[in-house]
Amino acid sequence: MPLTYASQQDGRLRGLELLSAVETPVIPVSRDTWRVASQLGHGYYTVHKTRRGWDCECAAFEPNAAPCKHIWAIRIWLKPSLYSSLERVRKPNTAGHSQDWPAYDAAQQAEHVMFDPLLWSLLDNVPEPIRPPGTRGRPPIPLRLQLLVAIKKVHVGESTRRAKGLLQVEYGSGTGILATVPNYAVPSRLFNRDGVGPLLLELIHRSAGPLRELEDGGTVAIDSTGFCTTCMGAYCTEIHDPSRRHRWVKAHAAIGVKTHIVLDVRVTDESGADCPQFVTLLEGVKALGFNPASVVADKAYLSRENYNAAADLGMTAYLPFKSNSTSGMRGSFVWSKMFHMFQLHREEFDRNYHRRSNVEAVFSAIKRKLGESLMSKNPVARFNELLAKILAYNLGVIVHEI
């Protein structure tokens, strides 16, 4: 779509209106990144300036089309003198949104104090493997204890040896949950076992259970993110690219928008596609007893099958349409209905769709608090370590809610 004078002028006016309507319309993030407030007061959109041009995460933004009002708001905010013919724009205060600091401070200080008792209680019903009769040798370390040490190691973000040192400081007197601290290699051995993944996933589901009443009738946000590993790719193996790159693992997660708890997750390798995970995650959420009213996800999950699946599960899906999408039903009445809503009632659609930014906040919190990289080298261990990382995050959310 060519950038006509009329489209540019309309975008300028809408951007100026946004700046005038919101108390804190723009929050700088970095030199080339800003967060622009929704005009309806339902959060923020992230705007980037790249070598190719501007980019916005709102549903109205389309590459090579007229800039959306959020991009125009940034342009006016940066150089108000260039648009004095519209109206003189006052550069706003860049203070962030309000935070309940007393509650936040209490939760952050209590997390390490409450983490071990909560985790130990969560592991209370973990079944112990049956040891074949007549087996010789030293009795194995209880599985519950192995899980505690492994998840604690992920939570503190240290190597296995350093994590054991911290546990010895905490339980060296022989009092508390651990009478003795097991060998430092226990977490690594546990993560390398194939059968641990389903158990960790079950623990993630259990950790989300206490917040079911808070999340019922709300919104589920779905997205994926990558976690870097310590393993490197081979030379000149992918399209003759001479560079070496870290391999990474993807976490496909469904989170509750109200509490930011991870309800369900699927872990794949770096080539795992997003769209096929949509229905699996929704069915997992429903199987846990959660009853959300809506689900939001970005364009990567757009398909008629996903719209139909969400409707069949009793949820309204808000998946933004692409520039080449049409209203043709092709067996999906829901697709046609939401397409017309997207075209005719964009503000209402965006107001619901913007809740998707909550899943980005969850991924950011996991990576900032627990680290973006995985230390395990074995593929099975990487998957299990990532599940343990998400479980540790969920326990932190429980502490915050308490």
Side-chain angles (χ1 to χ4, degrees):
M1 180 187 297
L3 303 182
T4 63
Y5 175 79
S7 63
Q8 292 189 54
Q9 195 72 1
D10 180 66
R12 294 179 185 179
L13 292 173
R14 295 181 66 192
L16 180 64
E17 181 183 358
L18 187 154
L19 290 174
S20 304
V22 181
E23 182 178 356
T24 308
V26 178
I27 298 178
V29 177
S30 66
R31 179 180 178 182
D32 299 318
T33 304
W34 302 265
R35 296 180 67 207
V36 182
S38 167
Q39 191 166 350
L40 298 178
H42 298 285
Y44 288 80
Y45 294 98
T46 302
V47 177
H48 302 279
K49 186 177 182 181
T50 65
R51 295 180 178 179
R52 298 180 180 178
W54 292 85
D55 181 80
C56 180
E57 67 174 2
C58 73
F61 173 76
E62 295 182 7
N64 303 321
C68 65
K69 63 182 179 182
H70 307 101
I71 293 176
W72 277 115
I74 290 295
R75 291 183 176 183
I76 299 173
W77 185 81
L78 290 173
K79 296 183 178 181
S81 60
L82 298 180
Y83 305 95
S84 57
S85 59
L86 295 172
E87 183 180 330
R88 185 183 178 189
V89 180
R90 178 181 60 86
K91 193 169 184 178
N93 182 12
T94 58
H97 63 276
S98 61
Q99 172 70 277
D100 186 356
W101 289 111
Y104 176 82
D105 292 343
Q108 293 300 306
Q109 295 174 63
E111 180 169 334
H112 283 286
V113 176
M114 300 178 64
F115 186 88
D116 289 11
L118 280 175
L119 178 57
W120 191 244
S121 176
L122 183 66
L123 299 173
D124 187 39
N125 296 323
V126 171
E128 288 294 332
I130 299 176
R131 195 180 190 195
T135 303
R136 297 182 179 182
R138 184 182 301 173
I141 300 173
L143 180 58
R144 184 186 184 192
L145 183 57
Q146 295 182 50
L147 286 167
L148 172 70
V149 174
I151 297 168
K152 179 71 173 177
K153 177 261 180 190
V154 172
H155 184 238
V156 299
E158 298 285 358
S159 65
T160 54
R161 294 172 178 83
R162 294 173 65 85
K164 180 180 178 179
L166 292 176
L167 289 172
Q168 286 176 329
V169 171
E170 187 173 357
Y171 299 106
S173 61
T175 60
I177 295 174
L178 298 180
T180 59
V181 179
N183 187 281
Y184 70 86
V186 167
S188 297
R189 294 170 183 168
L190 181 71
F191 286 151
N192 277 277
R193 288 160 51 183
D194 290 323
V196 174
L199 178 57
L200 289 170
L201 184 59
E202 175 63 23
L203 292 173
I204 292 174
H205 294 164
R206 290 186 194 176
S207 67
L211 304 183
R212 183 179 294 111
E213 293 184 2
L214 293 176
E215 290 293 346
D216 278 352
T219 300
V220 169
I222 292 178
D223 203 357
S224 68
T225 188
F227 288 81
C228 184
T229 69
T230 57
C231 297
M232 306 288 287
Y235 284 98
C236 301
T237 55
E238 298 178 8
I239 319 178
H240 303 287
D241 189 346
S243 63
R244 296 187 73 195
R245 300 177 181 176
H246 284 280
R247 295 298 182 188
W248 46 285
V249 177
K250 289 182 73 174
H252 307 262
I255 67 102
V257 167
K258 293 182 180 179
T259 62
H260 286 189
I261 193 78
V262 177
L263 305 177
D264 199 10
V265 63
R266 296 293 182 273
V267 179
T268 65
D269 58 22
E270 57 194 24
S271 61
D274 290 349
C275 193
Q277 302 295 334
F278 184 84
V279 178
T280 303
L281 290 171
L282 283 190
E283 291 176 345
V285 169
K286 293 291 288 187
L288 296 174
F290 288 86
N291 295 296
S294 60
V295 55
V296 293
D298 59 25
K299 294 180 182 180
Y301 298 88
L302 178 65
S303 73
R304 289 174 173 82
E305 291 76 12
N306 287 347
Y307 262 116
N308 288 342
D312 293 341
L313 293 172
M315 287 176 265
T316 302
Y318 294 91
L319 312 176
F321 293 85
K322 301 177 182 178
S323 58
N324 59 350
S325 299
T326 64
S327 61
M329 289 190 291
R330 299 180 189 175
S332 176
F333 172 76
V334 180
W335 170 280
S336 179
K337 174 185 175 182
M338 298 306 295
F339 180 84
H340 287 96
M341 179 184 180
F342 180 77
Q343 296 294 334
L344 302 177
H345 304 284
R346 179 65 66 84
E347 290 290 344
E348 180 182 355
F349 188 99
D350 288 351
R351 183 172 64 252
N352 290 280
Y353 169 71
H354 179 71
R355 295 169 184 162
R356 190 198 69 83
S357 61
N358 287 275
V359 71
E360 301 288 358
V362 169
F363 291 150
S364 176
I366 294 174
K367 293 178 179 181
R368 284 185 290 106
K369 293 178 64 176
L370 304 173
E372 187 175 0
S373 61
L374 303 173
M375 299 183 183
S376 302
K377 295 182 179 180
N378 184 285
V380 173
R382 293 176 198 163
F383 281 32
N384 291 336
E385 183 184 348
L386 179 51
L387 290 173
K389 195 183 291 281
I390 294 173
L391 175 58
Y393 164 78
N394 268 10
L395 291 175
V397 174
I398 296 295
V399 172
H400 182 79
E401 291 301 319
I402 292 174

